[in-house]
Amino acid sequence: MKKLFLISAIAATLAACSSDNDMNGIENSKPQPILLGTSVSTTMRSNSQILQATELAVNQTVGVYVYFTGEKETNSTANYGYKNIAYTVANANGDLTITDTDKQPYYPEDKNQQVDVYAFAPQFDTTTGELKTMTAVSFTTESDQSTDPKYNASDFVWGKTTLTPTTSSTAQVIPMKHKLSKINVNIAPGTGMTLDALKGATITLAGVNLSGKINLTDGTATTDGTTTNTLTLTNGTSDSFKGTFKSDADVDCYQASAVIIPQTLTSQTLKIKLSNNSEYTYSLSGSFTAEKINTYDIKINATGLTLTTTITAWDDSATPTTGTAE
């Protein structure tokens, strides 16, 4: 199921157009506001792995570009184009409001002229050029994603749609996707361990590349391939973050997550430190690809770990593999 986020737009009342515009324009010859909505997979945006009331955080900004179809820059003849217009998530229902009403996008007067609409979040408010030049915008995921705001700042979502001018007041939907990769780590008690003993654990992953570039024309993200850091996953080991294993719904666990730029990890240390300072480690290797979730279901035994790995699309279709660790 997908969730619709409506963009509330203020339609200004304009003076009557000339007879020429009446012949060439859309119905009633008035510029019509482009009313937009976004649909994002119902797979959770929150770091808790639990579906939230909204998929975009309240007060988060969304950037929008609008151009003639097939163009990624302002049309010089018609002087038509909107660059990185900011919208704000207004409430828990996901309604979006335009930050500056003077920048409200409108359809072209020619009803046959389609437009391409691009949307992305979080918005880069320093990005001021035409979309065609935005092929390598710097982006950094947080090294500490233990809170929702830091997680949301790391989760890049992008979408595009083509619209035909209309007089309808119905919001037009931009289908959006998570363009980075997600890691879920679920921990449950194994032999000689209790669930309560896992409460308050911290989970880190070493050797993660946190910085890279995003191509705003298609949402593709790549790492810079140089600097690596230790990533702290969400503080998911509290009672509000209880869930069940992806690989076995009968197993109760604590859940933690983080978002990373697509990359391949080789023998990086996943560390689980319990509140009593006991530490358990796993040498993690794997490919983290765009729009995918790698889930690690880990049973912690008194003597080591047992691991099941599941790789799913961010729309929750599964292709599992398994492995163990001592």
Side-chain angles (χ1 to χ4, degrees), residues 141 145 151 154-156 178-184 221 231 257-263 286-296 311-312 314:
T141 55
Q145 295 183 29
Y151 173 95
S154 303
D155 185 12
F156 181 76
H178 303 271
K179 300 300 287 186
L180 303 188
S181 185
K182 184 172 182 176
I183 177 172
N184 292 337
L231 172 67
S257 303
V259 175
I260 64 175
I261 298 171
Q263 60 194 275
S287 177
F288 289 79
T289 58
E291 306 175 31
K292 298 286 185 180
I293 303 173
N294 289 25
T295 299
Y296 298 86
I311 301 175
T312 69
W314 218 321

Side-chain angles (χ1 to χ4, degrees), residues 33-141:
I34 299 176
L35 305 179
L36 300 174
T38 63
S39 63
V40 184
S41 168
T42 54
T43 302
M44 48 283 163
R45 274 188 59 88
S46 171
N47 57 26
S48 69
Q49 300 183 24
I50 300 171
L51 183 64
Q52 301 297 301
T54 67
E55 295 168 6
L56 294 175
V58 172
N59 294 324
Q60 186 173 6
T61 55
V62 178
V64 171
Y65 289 88
V66 183
Y67 294 109
F68 286 167
T69 292
E71 301 180 11
K72 297 183 178 68
E73 62 181 328
T74 300
N75 183 284
S76 58
T77 302
N79 193 28
Y80 185 88
Y82 297 90
K83 298 181 293 184
N84 199 10
I85 306 301
Y87 292 87
T88 303
V89 182
N91 53 43
N93 294 324
D95 295 328
L96 302 180
T97 58
I98 192 165
T99 304
D100 184 351
T101 56
D102 289 339
K103 296 182 179 180
Q104 167 66 49
Y106 286 82
Y107 286 109
E109 291 189 358
D110 181 355
K111 66 181 180 181
N112 296 312
Q113 177 61 66
Q114 292 183 316
V115 296
D116 290 336
V117 181
Y118 301 79
F120 64 99
Q123 183 210 30
F124 310 124
D125 57 6
T126 57
T127 303
T128 58
E130 301 284 3
L131 181 64
K132 72 171 187 176
T133 67
M134 301 300 151
T135 57
V137 180
S138 295
F139 184 79
T140 302
T141 55

Side-chain angles (χ1 to χ4, degrees), residues 137-313:
V137 180
S138 295
F139 184 79
T140 302
T141 55
E142 298 283 342
S143 61
D144 180 355
Q145 295 183 29
S146 60
T147 64
D148 270 359
K150 291 182 177 181
Y151 173 95
N152 287 330
S154 303
D155 185 12
F156 181 76
V157 183
W158 180 94
K160 175 193 174 185
T161 192
T162 299
L163 302 177
T164 300
T166 177
T167 58
S168 171
S169 60
T170 302
Q172 304 300 307
V173 175
I174 307 174
M176 301 183 75
K177 293 183 178 180
H178 303 271
K179 300 300 287 186
L180 303 188
S181 185
K182 184 172 182 176
I183 177 172
N184 292 337
V185 176
N186 302 325
I187 58 175
T191 304
M193 191 68 65
T194 65
L195 185 61
D196 190 60
L198 305 183
K199 188 174 182 178
T202 58
I203 301 173
T204 58
L205 177 60
V208 179
N209 196 314
L210 302 178
S211 60
K213 304 289 185 182
I214 288 179
N215 183 338
L216 288 184
T217 68
D218 60 11
T220 302
T222 54
T223 67
D224 60 18
T226 56
T227 306
T228 59
N229 302 86
T230 296
L231 172 67
T232 300
L233 278 68
T234 60
N235 187 18
T237 56
S238 65
D239 287 341
S240 60
F241 291 86
K242 283 184 178 179
T244 59
F245 270 2
K246 176 70 176 178
S247 58
D248 187 346
D250 292 330
V251 177
D252 293 327
C253 65
Y254 285 117
Q255 301 178 324
S257 303
V259 175
I260 64 175
I261 298 171
Q263 60 194 275
T264 298
L265 300 179
T266 304
S267 300
Q268 303 304 327
T269 300
L270 177 71
K271 180 185 294 184
I272 302 167
K273 184 176 182 179
L274 305 187
S275 57
N276 65 1
N277 291 323
S278 298
E279 292 186 353
Y280 297 83
T281 61
Y282 173 72
S283 181
L284 187 150
S285 298
S287 177
F288 289 79
T289 58
E291 306 175 31
K292 298 286 185 180
I293 303 173
N294 289 25
T295 299
Y296 298 86
D297 288 340
I298 300 174
K299 282 188 176 180
I300 300 181
N301 307 311
T303 57
L305 307 178
T306 301
L307 174 74
T308 299
T309 304
T310 304
I311 301 175
T312 69

